[in-house]
Amino acid sequence: QVQPVESGGGLVQAGGSLRLSCAASGRSFISSYGMGWFRQAPGKEREFVAAITWSGGHTDYADSVKGRFTISRDNAKKTVYLQMNSLKPEDTALYFCAASVSTVSRNRAGYDLWGQGTQVTVSS
């Protein structure tokens, strides 16, 4: 296995919480600097959510999720998590995790290995 695999999506009411997981293997872990989470709603571009480095655990968040979402990683399990609290209907999207090629970035071009996505739906 080379591609990261996301899980943990589902349907939740506004104000609720979900935790997404991203299992890395092969090059997505061995050759990557870190991992990022992106999301895409129908008719919209894929946008940056959060990122973390494997080595130092340095993090970055989009302004729209800062204070509500927390990204973390478990190097022994080769897994990255996205804890999502105080969810809003506008958080509804297909969430992807991806391996960065050199450094964590907010740009999609900084990532070269993507998962298939997991759906998050927030009802009002």
Side-chain angles (χ1 to χ4, degrees):
Q1 186 178 347
V2 176
Q3 309 295 118
V5 180
E6 307 95 334
S7 62
L11 176 64
V12 65
Q13 291 182 306
S17 299
L18 283 174
R19 190 182 78 160
L20 305 184
S21 298
C22 174
S25 64
R27 191 167 66 85
S28 63
F29 175 76
I30 296 173
S31 302
S32 70
Y33 184 80
M35 303 293 291
W37 285 98
F38 290 76
R39 65 188 183 185
Q40 187 168 25
K44 301 182 68 177
E45 290 190 351
R46 192 169 299 185
E47 65 177 359
F48 172 79
V49 176
I52 190 168
T53 64
W54 290 113
S55 181
H58 305 293
T59 60
D60 188 29
Y61 297 92
D63 289 342
S64 60
V65 306
K66 198 168 187 177
R68 299 189 297 122
F69 291 11
T70 302
I71 188 170
S72 61
R73 86 277 192 264
D74 186 330
N75 289 27
K77 295 182 178 180
K78 302 176 183 178
T79 301
V80 173
Y81 305 96
L82 185 67
Q83 178 65 48
M84 305 184 294
N85 298 325
S86 301
L87 283 163
K88 306 174 181 179
E90 51 262 45
D91 294 318
T92 296
L94 188 65
Y95 283 70
F96 300 87
C97 67
S100 63
V101 297
S102 58
T103 63
V104 292
S105 174
R106 296 185 177 188
N107 196 311
R108 290 178 295 169
Y111 302 82
D112 69 344
L113 213 54
W114 294 79
Q116 296 299 305
T118 185
Q119 180 67 38
V120 172
T121 302
V122 184
S123 62
S124 60

